[in-house]
């Protein structure tokens, strides 16, 4: 599966547009990560635990989007955009959405 942020695939011709596809992941940040992040916040520096959670959520959203595109008969997704939101009463949930247009290229 070709996945790109550009509106086309260089060197390939789009022969059919299949539709818009999404991949959504809502991920909770657990208690242990909150404690580790609070120490990082206090002492300064990067929060590896939150960064890992963000990377995993993004990869899962992209994978889900690609699977939905494949189920529509597409072999590429163009114009990919990734959005991040925090949810929940205490902002304890992370939502990552990947979206794009499923296409068939030759």
């Amino acid at each position: 599966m070709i996945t790109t942020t550009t509106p086309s695939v260089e060197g390939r011709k789009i022969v059919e547009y299949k539709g818009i596809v999404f991949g959504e992941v809502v991920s909770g940040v657990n208690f242990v990560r909150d404690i580790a992040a609070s120490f990082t916040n206090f002492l300064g520096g990067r929060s590896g635990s939150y960064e890992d959670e963000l990377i995993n959520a993004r990869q899962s959203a992209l994978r889900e989007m690609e699977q939905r595109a494949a189920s529509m008969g597409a072999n590429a997704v163009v114009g990919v955009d990734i959005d991040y939101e925090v949810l929940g009463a205490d902002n304890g949930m992370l939502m990552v959405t990947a979206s794009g247009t499923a296409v068939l290229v030759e």
Side-chain angles (χ1 to χ4, degrees):
M1 176 71 58
I2 299 168
T3 305
T4 180
T5 58
T6 60
S8 62
V9 179
E10 188 172 341
R12 308 285 291 270
K13 180 182 176 186
I14 295 175
V15 294
E16 186 177 350
Y17 288 86
K18 299 290 188 173
I20 299 171
V21 287
F22 294 89
E24 302 93 1
V25 172
V26 177
S27 178
V29 181
N30 67 33
F31 178 70
V32 175
R33 287 188 181 180
D34 280 344
I35 291 173
S38 67
F39 284 122
T40 301
N41 188 36
F42 180 72
L43 299 172
R46 295 171 60 166
S47 173
S49 59
Y50 279 146
E51 288 176 0
D52 289 344
E53 187 63 36
L54 185 61
I55 290 167
N56 291 334
R58 182 178 56 243
Q59 289 173 340
S60 295
L62 285 167
R63 189 171 40 253
E64 183 176 304
M65 180 192 66
E66 290 170 347
Q67 289 170 350
R68 290 180 177 167
S71 72
M72 297 168 73
N75 62 358
V77 182
V78 297
V80 173
D81 182 49
I82 300 174
D83 292 313
Y84 303 90
E85 299 289 333
V86 289
L87 306 171
D90 60 352
N91 294 328
M93 304 291 285
L94 171 67
M95 180 175 71
V96 179
T97 304
S99 61
T101 303
V103 297
L104 186 61
V105 296
E106 57 179 27

